[in-house]
Each structure stands twice: as structure tokens, then as C-alpha cells.
DNA sequence: ATACTTTCGATTTTT
DNA sequence: TCGAAAGTAT
């Protein structure tokens, strides 16, 4: 099938040729065929026809387009179970890749249930990165590494880059290491080596030294025997390209390749997959079929900004001729109203493969998607809090509810509100366990003990806790290490025998070095968890946090305990360290009933009975920056994000927008997201605000023109807010102005307010800025701020604050000393000459 | 080294 | 505006 002998010995691994699970006959054997003829095995029961087709089409390239809630994971796991149970391959002959450890764990667990516990041997099921490490450890010498290389965390990476930038004689303020790290990451996502990066990119950093710095970084990594996350894909790709024999062995090994979330693959991952999947041409010129099955949903591609290429999935049929495309459109999650809303919304995107979700569970009692308006973010939080409490009192579990926001700053209003209400909530996302400072510090201690040459680890903890070893001491160590071409630890050892350091730091350094040596001596004799505890105690690290008065300190000590207890699952400290940087997740305790609060991005893959989607306003969602930087593609990705949000809901969906939001400290008037207008009327119900701010506050300021008038303009709740002359004038001005000016730099429309009342009068849009027009559609605007028509000392009038004097002018932002209201900052469009 | 001041930036995040 | 992070002064 592959053109290679099937049973090539493969690196002599013990994970290879693990006996197939008990029920599985030998691949291709008579028993296998006999079983195939015997009718459907149990695991196929309950699959719908499309799912079943996706499971049973084992040969050749297959693309499964799995819409939200259509049983994607089930198909993937059943397919693997099917391949194993039919005896088509041994577990070790299946390559199954996911993006997150969570997804990999879930798949392992579910395959285990289907096939029985004998699944131990699926050595090649994991994330791109974990499989990458595994490959790289085997062939490290081919790229000049030792197989015990370390994987850098972001802090190490930044510190290293900073040193390199300084070594180039560049100002590290002007050329921040973070930015370079971001660029290198982006290059690696594209699979580009220093020699291959575009000239423009290379020139744009560090006075044209971009390429040089990238190369220097790679060289430095090599001498440190270290890699970064990007290398875990890049280096295997290089090995495959440069060593045909290695690639050939992987070809003969992997009979089946499965990829989860294919729409999220970046170029490097794509190249990696292509290399593994595509077989060399046969003598007759034809290419052997590839048993690759990619599962994904182009409508849920929301990671373009970090290098994912939707194009990979759109191009699948070209990449793999003869590919079968199977669509999963039967949704098992949401009501018909929610699906109708989602489908109608996503249909506004071009460049999709096209799917329409449906369900046959139509219940006349199902609620429509509810659209609510609030005056500002506080009212929004208050109203959602009330709704949650109401649901709770009706017996709904908080665990079944979630609030999904576009940007994390939105969470604050909810957290504050929930704290005052005493409502349990949990924030999902945020810094991962292993990214926390105390965990990284502890790991650095373990690293330097188990690997004395880990300079970056020593550097990290040299003065943590404070030992009086500051910059001067570190520089001396660096210089010594470089001069003698030794590790930092060896340099320290050498230095404490000389007079080069002042007595105090020298004594401190001696104490540290001696401790490290003592711990190193205990490595083989002491159980690793015990040793870990000892290290953290004796180094003074635990005391450091015990003496810390900050509120986080107790939590950090807890985390350290958890770290140690996590170590128990591993054989040795070294084994623990090998896995830890890739496979450690924060553990959420689900035992408490709590509302979930998270970003839309982190909600992908989850589902809740009731979902709240606040902040559907132009500029926030779709986010102005996505529009400015991504144009039409950016808008479509935002729309997919909206689609992801909508499809998280099983039964109830509440979409909210506010009329006013404070952005960068200024109150701005906002208009509802265009996505709200893209929802189908028949599945939506517009809810009148019942809160104290009702009436005026729930006012709906109408649509700007580029998207046409809103259907909601006519609904009573919104139209009554038009009745005031102020609103009517505001809208007139807005419509006029939006044709010329689509917001300003901060991303909002011309209709602005200072504090409180909306009044536009003289919108900031009197300018003649050019909007960004793509295919006749006004998508984004360029940055432009007209100088204010006011100057310091002018006497002005503001609708809410009355008369005052201009105290300062900053672009169109005025600081005004009001006679009555005191000093306020207001946009100039909201005051007029007194 | 620690406390105070200044500056900067403000979408989304995995491994 | 407001919070974090980096710089400066003691």
C-alpha cells in the first residue's frame, strides 16, 4: 500500500509492534476480513449515515467537515477504534494529531472506552508538539542536538533574545525582545528558516538585523542544547527533508493519519503533515493513496491571527486528489432557533466550503435567540446577573451557564457584579499552570539540578530568592563562562575560588553552588518528590513566599504543592521535566456550581444550556483592530467567532449590546454590531429592557448606513428612543458622517458622548478621512484625528456638565474645568462654544 | 535593593 | 483612564 515493505523494523522502539488489542486480528489477515463480513460491530451503532461513512471510509484521503455539535470527536475516536478492531493497523501504526493536550487526553479516554483498556499502545496520539518532541528526541543528532535537549519557556526565550539584541549593540528599548520573539514565532509558524524569511521582514527589525538576530538565536539555542516551541515542528520538517531514509521509515510506519481541527493548522504543521502523508511516486508515476483523514470546520477557524491558514482546509481536495469530502450537518446540540441564527449569520461569509446545520428536534416551546440592549457595561452586567439568578432560582445549575466575551477586559464588569451578588463564577483561560511564576521558578531549580548545563535555568533562579547576586555578579559569570567556554554553573564554581568577586556575593554564590551540588548528589538516591520538596525548602524559595504579604502568596504555595504532587506520576525528576513543559494544564475544579466566564476563543469546543454573549457592538465585536488589520478576511474571522459563540448554546442564547462603553478611559457611544442585523428575524426575539435604566437607556441608536437600515429600527422598544429630538439629530448626523468617516483610531463611530447623555451635534466626523473600502464595502477606517477646533481657555458648553473652560487639548480630547461638575475629559464633539 | 515616578498601551492564545 | 512595567532616585 505504501510502496515500502510493511514490516520494516522501526528504530527498535519498544512502543512499536505492541501486540494489537485482544479482539483485533492481525492486520490484513483472514480473521480481519472475516470479521468485516460479519456485519456491523457494536461501536458503529448509533452513528448516523454520514458519521458512519466517515468512520468506514478508511482508505484514501478523507476530509470530514464537521459542523459545530455534529459529533466530530465521536467520529474521530470511532474511526480509530474501527481501524484497530478491523485489524487494519496496530495502534502504533496510527498517527493521530490534535492541537491541545486536552483534546488528546479526551481522545485517548474515549478510544479506551470503545476498544477496551488494551489501548495503552497508541504512542502516536498527541499534540503536534508532543509528537514533534518525540520525533526530535529520536533524531536530535541529525540537527546538531543532544537528545536530552531542553524546551525553552517564553521567559527564557525573551531573556535570551534580549541578550542577543544587546550583543548586537542595539537599544533593547527601541527593539523589544518580545517583538522579536513574536516575529520569530511567526516565521516558524510559516516554516521559514533564517535564510528563507522575506527581506522586508528581515529589515523591519533592529536596523535591518532581523535575519542576523534570528540566526544568532538559533545558533545560541544549539549551543544551549535547547529548542523553542516552534522548533518542535521546524526541526522535524528539516529532518524529513534532509534525510529521506528517516522519512521513509515514518512512511512505512504510519498507515493511517488522523488530524483534528484541521482548520487551525498553520503552514509549518501543514508542511509537516504533507511530508508524512505524501508518498513518493511509484515507478509508473502514480502516487500511492494516502490514508489521511482530516476533521475540521472552516466556519470555526478563529486562529488566523496566530498563523492558522484556513486555506489548508479549503484546499484539501487539491492537495489530496481523489479525496472524499464528508459533511456532518446533523446537529445534536442546539435548538432549531439557535441553529437557524448561527447558519444565517455565517452565511454572510464568502469563501467557505458550505454547510448548513440542521436538527430534527424541533420543539415549539424552544426559546428564540434573545437580543437585549443595555445602557452601558455595568447595566449589562447587572441585567445578566439578574437573569442568571432568576434561572438559578428556577433550578438551573450555574454550571450550565456561560458568559462569553470578545475581549478579556469585558470580564471585569461581570466579576465585580458577581462578587457583589455573591454569585459563584469561574474564569476559564488566563495564565496556564506551568506559566505561573512560582511554577517556572521551581522548575528552573529542578532543571539546574538535573542538568547542570542549563544556563537559562540558573540565570532564572540565581537571585530568587534574593541573595544579593545582582546584575554585576551575573555579568561576571557570563563573561567568565564565555571566556572559558563553560556552562554558567561551572563559571560560578570557578569564580568562588578566586578574588574576582566581592566577599559578600562570593559567599552567597558559594552557598548556592554547594547546595546545587548537594542536590545533584541526591538525584539518584532520593525519591524525586522528596528531593523536590527539599530543594524548594533549602533554597529558601518556600520561605520567600511564606514571608510574602501579597494576597497571591498563599495560592502560590498551594500551586507548588500541586506541582510536587503532580510529580508523583512520573518515574524520575528527569522524566517529569521532559513532559512538564508540554503537558501540564491548569486543573479547574468543577465540583463547585459556578457560572463560567471566558473569551469566545477559549469557548471553542464547549457547550452550555444557556449562553450570554455581551458586547455585540461595532468596534468591539467585530473588533476594530481585526477590521483595520485584517480587512475583509478579518471581518470574516470575527463572524466565525460570533458563529462559534452562538453554537455554544444548547437551549438559550442571549445576545447583548450596550449604547455606551468606556474605552481607554473615554466614554464612547457605540452602535450595535452588524452581526446582530445578520441574525434571521424568525429566530430572534428583541427583548425590552426591564431594568431601571429602561426607556431612554435601552435606546437603540439605529444603524449607520454602510449596512443599511436595521430591521430592528421598527421594533417598538427601539423606535421609541428615536422619538426624542436629540436622538433624531444624532442619527441624522451619524448617517451623514459615516459616509465620510468610519470612526477614529479608537475604533468607534462618529456618534460620541462625553459622559451621560448622547448628543452628537458636532460629531468628530466632520473630517474628510478616507475609510478603507474593500469591494465597495466600507470595512475599516484609517487613523486620523483632526486637531480640535477648541483651544485652551475657550469657554464651552456641554449638555450634561454645563459651562466650563478648556484646560487642555489633546487631539480631539478635551480636559475641561466645568463650573459645576469639576474637571472632566470629554471628546470635542460634545461641547460647543458657549 | 526598594520605593517612587514615568511611560506605555489597550484582542483573541496553544504548545 | 488605569494598570502594569520599566526606569530613577535614594
Amino acid at each position: 500500500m505504501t510502496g515500502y515493505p510493511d514490516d520494516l523494523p522501526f528504530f527498535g522502539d519498544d512502543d512499536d509492534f505492541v501486540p494489537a488489542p485482544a479482539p483485533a486480528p492481525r492486520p490484513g489477515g483472514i480473521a480481519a476480513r472475516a470479521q468485516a463480513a460479519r456485519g456491523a460491530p457494536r461501536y458503529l451503532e448509533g452513528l448516523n449515515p454520514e458519521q458512519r461513512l466517515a468512520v468506514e471510509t478508511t482508505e484514501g484521503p478523507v476530509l470530514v467537515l464537521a459542523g459545530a455539535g455534529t459529533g466530530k470527536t465521536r467520529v474521530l475516536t470511532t474511526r480509530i477504534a474501527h481501524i484497530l478492531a478491523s485489524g487494519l493497523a496496530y495502534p502504533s501504526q496510527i498517527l493521530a494529531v490534535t492541537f491541545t493536550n486536552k483534546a488528546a487526553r479526551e481522545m485517548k479516554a474515549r478510544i479506551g472506552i470503545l476498544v477496551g483498556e488494551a489501548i495503552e499502545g497508541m504512542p502516536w496520539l498527541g499534540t503536534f508538539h508532543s509528537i514533534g518532541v518525540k520525533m526530535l528526541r529520536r533524531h536530535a543528532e541529525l540537527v546538531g542536538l543532544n537528545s536530552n535537549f531542553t524546551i525553552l519557556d517564553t521567559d527564557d526565550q525573551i531573556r535570551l533574545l534580549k541578550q542577543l539584541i544587546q550583543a548586537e549593540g542595539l537599544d533593547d528599548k527601541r527593539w523589544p525582545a518580545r517583538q522579536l520573539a513574536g516575529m520569530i514565532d511567526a516565521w516558524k509558524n510559516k516554516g521559514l528558516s533564517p535564510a528563507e524569511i522575506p527581506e522586508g521582514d528581515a529589515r523591519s527589525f533592529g536596523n535591518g538585523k532581523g535575519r542576523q538576530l534570528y540566526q544568532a538565536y538559533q545558533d545560541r539555542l544549539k549551543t544551549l542544547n535547547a529548542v523553542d516551541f516552534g522548533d518542535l515542528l521546524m526541526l522535524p520538517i528539516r529532518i524529513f527533508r534532509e534525510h529521506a531514509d528517516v522519512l521513509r521509515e515514518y512512511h512505512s510506519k504510519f498507515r493511517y493519519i488522523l488530524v483534528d481541527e484541521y482548520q487551525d493548522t498553520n503552514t509549518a504543521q501543514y508542511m509537516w503533515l504533507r511530508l508524512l502523508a505524501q508518498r513518493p511516486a511509484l515507478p509508473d508515476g502514480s502516487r500511492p493513496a494516502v490514508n489521511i483523514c482530516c476533521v475540521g470546520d472552516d466556519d470555526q477557524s478563529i486562529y488566523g491571527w496566530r498563523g492558522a491558514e484556513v486555506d489548508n482546509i479549503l484546499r484539501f481536495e487539491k492537495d489530496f486528489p481523489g479525496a472524499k469530502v464528508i459533511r456532518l450537518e446533523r446537529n445534536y446540540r442546539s435548538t432549531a432557533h439557535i441553529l437557524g441564527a448561527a447558519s444565517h449569520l455565517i452565511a454572510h461569509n464568502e469563501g467557505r466550503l458550505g454547510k448548513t446545520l440542521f436538527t430534527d428536534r424541533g420543539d415549539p416551546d424552544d426559546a428564540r435567540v434573545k437580543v437585549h440592549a443595555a445602557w452601558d457595561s455595568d447595566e449589562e452586567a447587572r441585567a445578566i446577573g439578574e437573569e442568571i439568578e432568576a434561572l438559578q432560582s428556577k433550578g438551573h445549575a450555574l454550571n450550565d451557564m456561560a458568559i462569553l466575551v470578545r475581549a478579556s477586559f469585558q470580564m471585569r464588569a461581570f466579576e465585580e457584579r458577581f462578587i457583589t451578588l455573591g454569585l459563584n463564577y469561574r474564569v476559564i483561560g488566563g495564565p496556564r499552570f506551568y506559566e505561573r511564576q512560582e511554577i517556572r521558578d521551581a522548575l528552573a531549580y529542578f532543571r539546574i539540578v538535573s542538568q547542570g548545563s542549563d544556563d537559562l535555568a540558573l540565570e532564572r533562579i540565581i537571585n530568587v530568592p534574593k541573595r544579593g547576586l545582582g546584575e554585576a555578579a551575573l555579568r561576571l559569570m557570563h563573561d567568565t563562562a564565555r571566556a572559558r567556554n563553560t556552562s554558567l554553573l561551572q563559571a560560578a564554581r570557578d569564580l568562588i575560588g578566586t578574588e574576582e568577586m566581592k566577599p559578600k556575593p562570593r559567599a552567597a554564590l558559594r552557598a548556592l553552588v554547594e547546595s546545587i551540588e548537594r542536590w545533584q548528589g541526591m538525584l539518584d538516591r532520593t525519591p524525586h518528590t522528596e528531593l523536590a520538596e527539599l530543594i524548594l525548602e533549602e533554597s529558601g524559595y518556600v520561605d520567600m513566599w511564606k514571608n510574602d504579604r501579597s494576597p497571591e502568596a498563599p495560592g502560590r504555595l498551594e500551586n507548588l504543592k500541586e506541582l510536587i504532587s503532580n510529580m508523583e506520576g512520573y518515574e524520575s525528576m528527569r522524566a517529569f521535566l521532559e513532559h512538564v513543559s508540554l503537558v501540564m494544564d491548569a486543573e479547574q475544579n468543577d465540583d463547585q456550581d459556578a457560572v463560567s466566564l471566558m473569551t469566545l476563543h477559549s469557548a471553542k469546543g464547549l457547550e452550555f444550556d444557556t449562553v450570554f454573549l455581551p458586547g455585540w457592538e461595532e468596534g468591539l465585536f467585530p473588533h476594530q483592530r481585526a477590521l483595520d488589520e485584517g480587512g475583509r478576511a478579518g471581518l470574516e474571522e470575527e463572524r466565525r467567532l460570533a458563529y462559534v459563540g452562538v453554537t455554544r448554546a444548547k437551549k438559550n442564547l442571549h445576545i447583548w449590546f450596550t449604547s455606551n462603553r468606556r474605552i481607554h478611559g473615554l466614554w464612547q457611544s457605540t452602535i450595535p454590531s452588524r452581526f446582530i442585523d445578520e441574525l434571521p428575524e424568525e429566530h430572534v426575539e428583541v427583548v425590552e429592557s426591564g431594568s431601571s435604566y429602561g426607556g431612554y437607556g435601552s435606546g437603540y441608536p439605529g444603524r449607520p448606513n454602510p449596512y443599511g437600515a436595521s430591521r430592528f429600527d421598527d421594533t417598538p422598544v427601539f423606535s421609541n428612543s428615536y422619538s426624542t429630538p436629540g436622538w433624531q439629530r444624532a442619527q441624522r448626523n451619524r448617517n451623514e458622517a459615516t459616509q465620510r468617516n468610519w470612526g477614529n483610531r479608537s475604533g468607534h463611530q462618529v456618534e460620541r458622548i462625553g459622559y451621560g447623555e448622547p448628543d452628537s451635534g458636532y460629531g468628530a466626523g466632520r473630517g474628510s478621512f478616507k475609510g478603507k473600502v474593500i469591494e465597495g464595502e466600507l470595512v475599516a477606517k484609517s487613523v486620523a484625528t483632526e486637531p480640535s477646533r477648541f483651544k485652551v481657555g475657550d469657554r464651552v458648553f456641554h449638555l450634561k456638565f454645563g459651562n466650563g473652560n478648556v484646560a487642555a487639548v489633546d487631539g480631539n480630547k478635551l480636559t475641561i474645568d466645568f463650573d459645576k461638575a469639576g474637571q472632566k475629559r470629554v471628546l470635542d464633539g460634545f461641547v460647543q462654544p458657549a
Side-chain angles (χ1 to χ4, degrees):
Chain A
M1 165 192 0
T2 59
Y4 302 118
D6 275 335
D7 286 337
L8 265 186
F10 188 77
F11 312 128
D13 280 347
D14 51 359
D15 66 36
D16 204 43
F17 302 108
V18 166
R26 193 190 174 283
I30 294 169
R33 270 173 273 153
Q35 190 191 51
R38 220 175 28 231
R42 170 156 291 166
Y43 56 80
L44 292 176
E45 285 169 16
L47 294 178
N48 68 37
E50 301 77 39
Q51 290 176 327
R52 185 158 174 179
L53 185 65
V55 166
E56 294 187 308
T57 311
T58 54
E59 308 306 299
V62 177
L63 176 63
V64 180
L65 290 173
T70 56
K72 177 196 73 165
T73 309
R74 180 157 189 212
V75 164
L76 219 39
T77 50
T78 311
R79 184 180 163 95
I80 292 175
H82 178 67
I83 290 168
L84 293 174
S86 318
L88 292 166
Y90 291 116
S92 64
Q93 292 173 318
I94 298 173
L95 172 67
V97 232
T98 64
F99 274 83
T100 63
N101 291 307
K102 196 178 158 206
R105 266 198 311 269
E106 191 184 336
M107 273 181 65
K108 265 194 183 143
R110 288 174 67 165
I111 295 168
I113 291 167
L114 288 172
V115 179
E117 299 312 313
I119 202 60
E120 294 296 314
M122 280 265 319
W124 300 100
L125 189 167
T127 63
F128 278 100
H129 291 85
S130 65
I131 291 170
V133 190
K134 190 166 182 166
M135 291 175 165
L136 199 52
R137 292 221 189 268
R138 297 196 138 93
H139 312 291
E141 76 289 351
L142 297 179
V143 285
L145 290 169
N146 188 306
S147 78
N148 61 10
F149 58 81
T150 47
I151 301 163
L152 293 197
D153 69 33
T154 329
D155 288 357
D156 295 333
Q157 202 183 348
I158 303 275
R159 232 169 325 121
L160 208 157
L161 285 170
K162 195 167 181 175
Q163 289 167 16
L164 293 171
I165 289 167
Q166 285 165 344
E168 276 297 328
L170 293 165
D171 178 6
D172 67 302
K173 264 203 83 173
R174 208 181 114 115
W175 305 106
R178 291 207 155 277
Q179 193 191 335
L180 182 58
M183 294 175 75
I184 290 177
D185 191 51
W187 290 327
K188 289 188 176 178
N189 283 161
K190 289 187 185 149
L192 300 172
S193 65
E196 294 164 332
I197 62 170
E199 190 59 28
D201 280 15
R203 288 190 177 283
S204 67
F205 191 91
N207 298 331
K209 289 184 172 163
R211 190 190 309 274
Q212 206 176 318
L213 284 164
Y214 181 13
Q215 184 63 59
Y217 171 68
Q218 291 306 120
D219 293 345
R220 188 92 182 82
L221 287 183
K222 203 188 259 189
T223 53
L224 286 168
N225 192 35
V227 298
D228 65 14
F229 278 114
D231 288 337
L232 297 179
L233 284 165
M234 285 285 283
L235 296 177
I237 289 173
R238 211 173 100 200
I239 292 169
F240 295 157
R241 287 193 174 147
E242 293 172 3
H243 301 273
D245 52 325
V246 173
L247 183 60
R248 201 175 305 135
E249 281 173 299
Y250 281 105
H251 279 171
S252 73
K253 177 171 189 63
F254 298 134
R255 290 170 175 242
Y256 294 93
I257 298 176
L258 294 95
V259 188
D260 190 19
E261 305 278 19
Y262 190 61
Q263 79 283 351
D264 287 337
T265 49
N266 62 36
T267 305
Q269 287 156 341
Y270 171 78
M271 296 190 318
W272 185 89
L273 279 171
R274 280 286 297 244
L275 282 162
L276 286 169
Q278 202 121 69
R279 305 299 144 93
L282 296 174
D284 66 356
S286 69
R287 277 179 191 272
V290 192
N291 301 322
I292 184 170
C293 173
C294 294
V295 181
D297 182 358
D298 50 318
D299 291 334
Q300 292 188 68
S301 161
I302 55 175
Y303 286 111
W305 51 273
R306 70 177 197 210
E309 291 279 345
V310 210
D311 209 40
N312 291 346
I313 195 167
L314 302 178
R315 221 179 37 222
F316 187 86
E317 292 176 83
K318 277 186 206 132
D319 285 342
F320 297 99
K324 292 198 180 71
V325 179
I326 299 168
R327 286 180 162 75
L328 304 182
E329 298 173 302
R330 183 184 301 262
N331 177 290
Y332 295 98
R333 179 186 294 156
S334 312
T335 65
H337 286 309
I338 290 165
L339 290 183
S343 301
H344 198 268
L345 174 73
I346 199 64
H348 289 79
N349 272 4
E350 290 169 13
R352 34 192 306 259
L353 292 168
K355 273 181 281 72
T356 308
L357 296 179
F358 67 91
T359 177
D360 36 39
R361 293 184 311 175
D363 184 335
D365 288 342
D366 284 344
R368 293 189 183 206
V369 173
K370 297 203 169 96
V371 176
H372 311 249
W375 172 247
D376 62 12
S377 52
D378 287 336
E379 194 206 318
E380 185 181 56
R382 193 178 318 128
I384 290 177
E386 274 167 25
E387 176 81 34
I388 289 171
E389 288 191 316
L391 285 167
Q392 196 183 17
S393 68
K394 276 192 253 165
H396 295 264
L398 296 179
N399 279 334
D400 296 330
M401 304 177 213
I403 298 164
L404 314 180
V405 296
R406 171 67 245 261
S408 44
F409 75 83
Q410 292 174 263
M411 290 185 190
R412 216 178 78 178
F414 291 98
E415 294 198 55
E416 281 172 3
R417 189 67 199 146
F418 294 168
I419 287 166
T420 53
L421 288 176
L423 195 63
N424 267 345
Y425 70 91
R426 90 183 117 233
V427 174
I428 313 245
R432 257 128 269 291
F433 188 69
Y434 65 83
E435 276 172 8
R436 294 177 198 183
Q437 188 192 336
E438 66 277 17
I439 300 305
R440 290 184 161 179
D441 289 341
L443 290 175
Y445 272 105
F446 304 157
R447 277 160 60 192
I448 189 66
V449 170
S450 61
Q451 177 101 225
S453 59
D454 194 332
D455 290 3
L456 290 159
L458 180 57
E459 208 178 296
R460 181 174 182 113
I461 51 94
I462 188 110
N463 204 25
V464 181
K466 300 256 185 298
R467 303 187 169 88
L469 294 168
E471 230 176 296
L474 189 61
R475 176 155 322 139
L476 185 61
M477 286 166 60
H478 265 302
D479 293 346
T480 312
R482 189 160 326 149
R484 306 186 189 180
N485 198 20
T486 62
S487 71
L488 216 52
L489 183 62
Q490 186 54 47
R493 238 180 242 130
D494 294 350
L495 277 170
I496 51 182
T498 70
E499 300 287 310
E500 282 175 79
M501 273 176 143
K502 296 216 178 86
K504 254 195 190 160
R506 197 188 332 147
L509 187 60
R510 172 174 294 125
L512 179 64
V513 170
E514 282 170 358
S515 293
I516 292 173
E517 285 172 344
R518 189 174 62 252
W519 297 323
Q520 284 174 333
M522 297 169 75
L523 256 181
D524 301 322
R525 304 187 276 107
T526 319
H528 60 290
T529 49
E530 239 171 77
L531 179 59
E533 267 176 60
L534 192 86
I535 292 172
L536 296 182
E537 288 282 346
E538 290 187 357
S539 62
Y541 192 72
V542 170
D543 286 335
M544 179 182 111
W545 289 117
K546 278 188 181 157
N547 296 330
D548 192 301
R549 304 230 153 270
S550 69
E552 309 94 72
R556 296 191 194 267
L557 287 166
E558 277 303 304
N559 289 337
L560 290 173
K561 274 189 202 143
E562 197 181 327
L563 178 74
I564 304 228
S565 75
N566 276 340
M567 285 179 83
E568 278 167 18
Y570 296 84
E571 260 173 38
S572 65
M573 186 170 278
R574 209 160 281 173
F576 175 68
L577 287 172
E578 280 205 8
H579 290 274
V580 80
S581 52
L582 291 171
V583 197
M584 237 176 37
D585 296 328
E587 273 173 39
Q588 288 277 352
N589 47 325
D590 295 352
D591 31 312
Q592 256 204 336
D593 194 32
V595 186
S596 297
L597 185 52
M598 70 190 97
T599 63
L600 286 161
H601 282 91
S602 34
K604 194 164 80 154
L606 305 177
E607 57 177 33
F608 300 89
D609 282 349
T610 302
V611 168
F612 296 90
L613 302 174
W616 281 41
E617 296 127 41
E618 284 294 308
L620 177 58
F621 193 36
H623 200 280
Q624 192 60 45
R625 256 178 95 163
L627 302 183
D628 288 349
E629 286 162 21
R632 168 145 212 130
L635 172 62
E636 296 210 342
E637 184 156 310
E638 294 286 290
R639 194 178 277 116
R640 292 193 290 267
L641 196 52
Y643 173 80
V644 167
V646 169
T647 53
R648 296 311 94 194
K650 299 205 291 209
K651 297 179 187 155
N652 302 299
L653 177 63
H654 299 271
I655 293 172
W656 284 79
F657 64 88
T658 69
S659 323
N660 300 288
R661 199 171 280 277
R662 206 170 68 170
I663 290 175
H664 307 338
L666 286 171
W667 279 102
Q668 306 201 156
S669 145
T670 49
I671 57 172
S673 170
R674 68 192 78 186
F675 298 152
I676 289 179
D677 275 338
E678 292 171 1
L679 300 172
E681 212 161 348
E682 67 269 31
H683 296 299
V684 171
E685 178 186 333
V686 175
V687 180
E688 180 154 13
S689 166
S691 84
S692 51
Y693 277 75
Y696 195 68
S698 62
Y700 181 86
R703 301 286 333 154
N705 253 342
Y707 316 106
S710 169
R711 283 178 280 100
F712 299 126
D713 286 354
D714 301 327
T715 63
V717 57
F718 294 133
S719 60
N720 61 21
S721 51
Y722 281 154
S723 49
T724 66
W727 276 117
Q728 288 178 358
R729 188 177 31 155
Q731 187 172 19
R732 256 201 320 281
N733 285 322
R734 178 179 330 106
N735 289 345
E736 232 170 76
T738 29
Q739 284 158 24
R740 284 170 285 145
N741 166 28
W742 189 235
N744 77 341
R745 199 201 165 293
S746 49
H748 283 265
Q749 275 55 55
V750 287
E751 219 279 290
R752 274 142 216 278
I753 57 165
Y755 284 77
E757 331 275 326
D759 172 47
S760 108
Y762 312 88
R766 285 163 299 107
S768 51
F769 326 141
K770 266 255 170 84
K772 185 169 179 180
V773 178
I774 295 174
E775 293 167 27
E777 187 181 351
L778 202 44
V779 182
K781 65 348 109 186
S782 52
V783 178
T785 313
E786 265 199 351
S788 175
R789 65 206 164 102
F790 296 103
K791 60 184 192 306
V792 174
D794 281 358
R795 188 79 180 148
V796 295
F797 173 76
H798 184 276
L799 210 75
K800 179 158 187 184
F801 303 129
N803 289 312
N805 297 315
V806 176
V809 181
D810 169 22
N812 61 342
K813 291 173 221 148
L814 306 176
T815 306
I816 299 170
D817 288 321
F818 288 104
D819 302 347
K820 298 240 172 69
Q823 195 175 73
K824 303 274 178 198
R825 302 239 305 158
V826 172
L827 286 164
D828 83 338
F830 299 95
V831 296
Q832 39 191 293

